[in-house]
Amino acid sequence: MTQPSQFLRITCLLLFIGLGGCASWGGDETPEPQVHLVKVEVVRARLLEQKFMLHFRVDNPGEGDLTVRGLTYRIHLGDLLLTEGEHEHWFTVRPRRSAYFKVPIRTNLWPQVREVVKMLEKPRQQIPYRLEGELETGLFIADYVHLERNGVIIAADFIAE
């Protein structure tokens, strides 16, 4: 056997061993963080502009710190797109802990006023909502946690008597 072919075999062997180690780097099964919409606060509701504050909780079930960079979101009320946007806010969630953050949103429901009035005809009736988005995490390399939550709200809970 010639020296160059032996060198080539050893190089290939080391390359395959090294790649096997790289594949195991991403193989750790750390649990994904969980994101929950905790509360929707009505800040101001006027005819042409509505302001809300969305309160979120991020649960970190992992063994290490979780750095959160921001949130991209879409919120549907029934079949109506209420709002969508991005909120950049950096914070760290300690291992096996939770952290809270707020996202201010503004919307104009005037173009969809008929659909909204139809939903509010029976204030005690449940209105389904859907929250979709991605939580951007990671300190140096971004990782995206897909977020999808469904629930119901009761309009009477938000209407002052």
Side-chain angles (χ1 to χ4, degrees), residues 52-114:
F52 300 95
M53 187 68 70
L54 304 179
H55 298 256
F56 290 95
R57 183 184 79 228
V58 178
D59 300 330
N60 179 9
E63 298 292 328
D65 285 349
L66 172 70
T67 301
V68 175
R69 297 177 176 198
L71 176 70
T72 303
Y73 58 88
R74 285 170 306 288
I75 302 174
H76 296 265
L77 201 56
D79 293 329
L80 173 72
L81 176 64
L82 179 64
T83 188
E84 64 182 334
E86 295 180 23
H87 181 69
E88 186 176 319
H89 179 68
W90 284 63
F91 62 94
T92 301
V93 185
R94 307 295 301 169
R96 299 188 185 274
R97 303 265 188 219
S98 298
Y100 294 86
F101 71 102
K102 300 176 188 177
V103 177
I105 63 168
R106 283 183 1 190
T107 188
N108 179 4
L109 295 175
W110 181 249
Q112 297 94 3
V113 72
R114 286 189 177 154

Side-chain angles (χ1 to χ4, degrees), residues 141-158:
I141 299 172
D143 189 25
Y144 297 92
V145 178
H146 182 71
L147 164 66
E148 188 167 332
R149 297 284 183 266
N150 295 308
V152 294
I153 63 167
I154 298 174
D157 294 345
F158 297 100

